[in-house]
Amino acid sequence: QRIDHYKYSAAMVEFGKTLNEVVKRDWRCHAVAYIELKRCLSGENDDKQLKNRTGASADDHSVHTESSFKVSEEQKDEFFRIYDDSIQRLIHFYEDRLEWSVEEKNSLEVAVEKGISQTEAEGQSSSSSSLSFLIHRVTDYSKDLGLVLEFLDLNATAFSKILKKYDKRTGSLLRESKLKELKGQ
């Protein structure tokens, strides 16, 4: 299952939905919990209170009032709990995929060596099906590596976007330092 580049590039406004749509189903549990992180910053209770006072919510695209930017310490704590969990899940995914890729690379190297030896010993015609299978395996490996890289890149974008939202909602300047930390992991 490939990541759909059209969906990825379209409608970045709905990044959380896009992230869920383009990520392989069995990898979703490893992806950044973008929607949950966004919820921590939305201040749903604050939005209800703001709407009751002013008749508008923070999502009405109106000029934000001072109260629409308040994020409680409790919300910040929950944000970083989910953020840290997302990092750990992604690290686990990366380590698992790294182990898989090394094992698969080693297996392919052995198979290539065996295929070359077999071709030299038996001649081209008797080993063409095994070489065709080997080419298919190498192609699949390459595609799978590409998917892993796309997944990691998409999650890096998710972290960048959610940290930008965090900085905007809290008035912090954490994004750049947190992104540097992520690259170090």
Side-chain angles (χ1 to χ4, degrees):
Q1 195 177 25
R2 294 275 306 163
I3 293 176
D4 188 337
H5 290 285
Y6 173 74
K7 288 181 182 176
Y8 174 68
S9 61
M12 291 303 286
V13 173
E14 295 294 327
F15 185 79
K17 288 180 184 177
T18 303
L19 181 64
N20 264 345
E21 289 172 1
V22 300
V23 169
K24 286 177 64 167
R25 203 174 298 282
D26 54 337
W27 289 359
R28 286 187 185 151
C29 63
H30 301 289
V32 174
Y34 185 83
I35 292 171
E36 290 83 2
L37 288 165
K38 191 174 173 183
R39 259 188 219 123
C40 289
L41 298 176
S42 72
E44 291 173 357
N45 292 334
D46 294 341
D47 284 349
K48 288 176 186 173
Q49 292 169 357
L50 177 64
K51 187 168 185 144
N52 289 339
R53 282 195 312 264
T54 65
S57 72
D59 291 332
D60 286 339
H61 304 291
S62 57
V63 175
H64 293 286
T65 63
E66 184 180 318
S67 63
S68 69
F69 279 99
K70 289 188 179 172
V71 175
S72 71
E73 289 303 315
E74 194 173 276
Q75 286 171 297
K76 289 178 187 179
D77 290 344
E78 180 67 5
F79 177 89
F80 281 109
R81 186 193 63 73
I82 295 169
Y83 175 86
D84 290 339
D85 180 63
S86 291
I87 291 171
Q88 291 308 310
R89 287 185 288 121
L90 204 53
I91 287 171
H92 176 69
F93 172 83
Y94 174 79
E95 290 170 348
D96 180 60
R97 293 289 83 196
L98 181 61
E99 183 179 329
W100 163 82
S101 70
V102 169
E103 289 173 3
E104 186 66 14
K105 177 190 78 73
N106 292 339
S107 172
L108 285 169
E109 285 175 346
V110 169
V112 167
E113 289 296 324
K114 185 178 174 184
I116 291 171
S117 298
Q118 193 175 31
T119 300
E120 290 172 351
E122 298 173 8
Q124 180 101 11
S125 61
S126 64
S127 63
S128 66
S129 65
S130 63
L131 284 177
S132 177
F133 177 71
L134 187 57
I135 290 169
H136 181 70
R137 274 187 65 196
V138 170
T139 302
D140 285 349
Y141 176 68
S142 176
K143 287 178 184 177
D144 289 344
L145 282 178
L147 285 174
V148 170
L149 293 174
E150 288 178 41
F151 177 76
L152 294 172
D153 186 51
L154 190 60
N155 279 279
T157 300
F159 276 122
S160 178
K161 290 179 76 59
I162 201 64
L163 288 168
K164 183 177 180 180
K165 286 183 187 304
Y166 180 88
D167 282 355
K168 183 177 178 181
R169 291 279 297 166
T170 64
S172 301
L173 297 172
L174 291 177
R175 181 175 175 239
E176 293 304 318
S177 64
K178 289 290 185 184
L179 291 176
K180 284 179 186 174
E181 282 178 24
L182 284 173
K183 287 182 182 181
Q185 296 182 3

